[in-house]
Amino acid sequence: MVSDKDLFDGMSEDNKNRYKKDTINRYGKRSFKKADKKLKKMSPAEWENYQSNLNNLI
């Protein structure tokens, strides 16, 4: 399971709250909760793969 610490690693509490608020404003609370729930259910291997895919986009 992925923790909030893993999701927001290296991000200040202020930035974490700002990004959360921005995401909810853009996509709605339902979408935010759905995505958050899905991310937190990921296994460590799934999380690593997800991070690797994100890094490849940059």
Side-chain angles (χ1 to χ4, degrees), residues 1-57:
M1 305 245 332
V2 178
S3 67
D4 275 348
K5 183 183 181 305
D6 293 329
L7 288 173
F8 300 102
D9 189 34
M11 190 178 289
S12 72
E13 195 65 30
D14 287 339
N15 281 342
K16 175 183 157 185
N17 291 330
R18 187 178 73 195
Y19 285 116
K20 180 179 176 181
K21 191 175 185 179
D22 182 53
T23 302
I24 290 170
N25 286 334
R26 285 184 185 205
Y27 305 106
K29 198 168 197 167
R30 176 185 278 170
S31 292
F32 174 81
K33 285 185 176 187
K34 185 177 176 182
D36 189 54
K37 185 177 179 180
K38 186 175 182 175
L39 287 172
K40 288 182 178 178
K41 284 185 175 183
M42 286 183 176
S43 69
E46 290 171 321
W47 177 249
E48 286 291 324
N49 186 43
Y50 178 76
Q51 288 295 303
S52 177
N53 288 335
L54 286 177
N55 289 333
N56 288 333
L57 292 174

